[in-house]
Amino acid sequence: MAEQPPERHDDWHRPLRHVPAADLSEKTTQSSGMRRLEAVSGKTVGAEKVWMGQAHVGPGTNSGNHHHGDSESAIYVVSGHPVFVFAEGGEEVRLTPEPGDYIFVPPWTPHREENPGSEEAVIVLARSSQEAIVVNLPPGSLTDQA
């Protein structure tokens, strides 16, 4: 007798979810100088492996030092000129992407977002966990966080 394919359950018919921009939630972990908005997560749509949202960094502000635990983060720069700061070899390194560019943040990597410009910076965030893990760190140089 031929082997039968495994029985398919209703995961093949789960509905897509639409999250209108007006429905983004601020009920997520925040850092000073940055406003995070949650779009796709376990709380909002029942996601199991991904978190996605956006952040707004006001002119002349920064997020403060933080990391995202064991989550990988991917960032897409929508508008403005944010600066991403991390430590490497005992020195602070500054990445200055333009709108349309992407940034990858490895798990556990302390960093901060800055906006030295005069316009708000808007970024789209995606993380490999269903929730927005944000561990805020003490102020100071990122080289002191090791």
Side-chain angles (χ1 to χ4, degrees), residues 8-9 21 25 33-34 65 85 106 108 125 132 145:
R8 294 197 174 149
H9 48 77
S25 171
M34 173 184 271
N65 299 336
V85 185
W108 304 105
L125 306 163
Q145 304 296 316

Side-chain angles (χ1 to χ4, degrees), residues 51-116:
W51 183 97
M52 191 170 188
Q54 62 181 242
H56 298 250
V57 185
T61 64
N62 73 71
S63 66
N65 299 336
H66 63 278
H67 67 76
H68 302 291
D70 63 355
S71 290
E72 293 181 326
S73 297
I75 298 167
Y76 173 76
V77 179
V78 175
S79 63
H81 298 280
V83 176
F84 296 85
V85 185
F86 66 101
E88 185 174 46
E91 300 289 326
E92 285 195 353
V93 176
R94 305 171 74 75
L95 301 177
T96 56
E98 296 293 322
D101 291 351
Y102 293 82
I103 298 287
F104 173 71
V105 181
W108 304 105
T109 301
H111 63 283
R112 73 176 168 270
E113 290 86 1
E114 297 179 349
N115 182 2

Side-chain angles (χ1 to χ4, degrees), residues 8-14:
R8 294 197 174 149
H9 48 77
D10 209 27
D11 281 350
W12 284 85
H13 298 99
R14 292 171 63 183

Side-chain angles (χ1 to χ4, degrees), residues 30-50:
Q30 301 292 332
S31 298
S32 64
M34 173 184 271
R35 183 172 62 111
R36 288 187 184 90
L37 300 170
E38 186 171 35
V40 174
S41 70
K43 289 186 287 188
T44 62
V45 299
E48 296 175 8
K49 297 179 182 178
V50 68

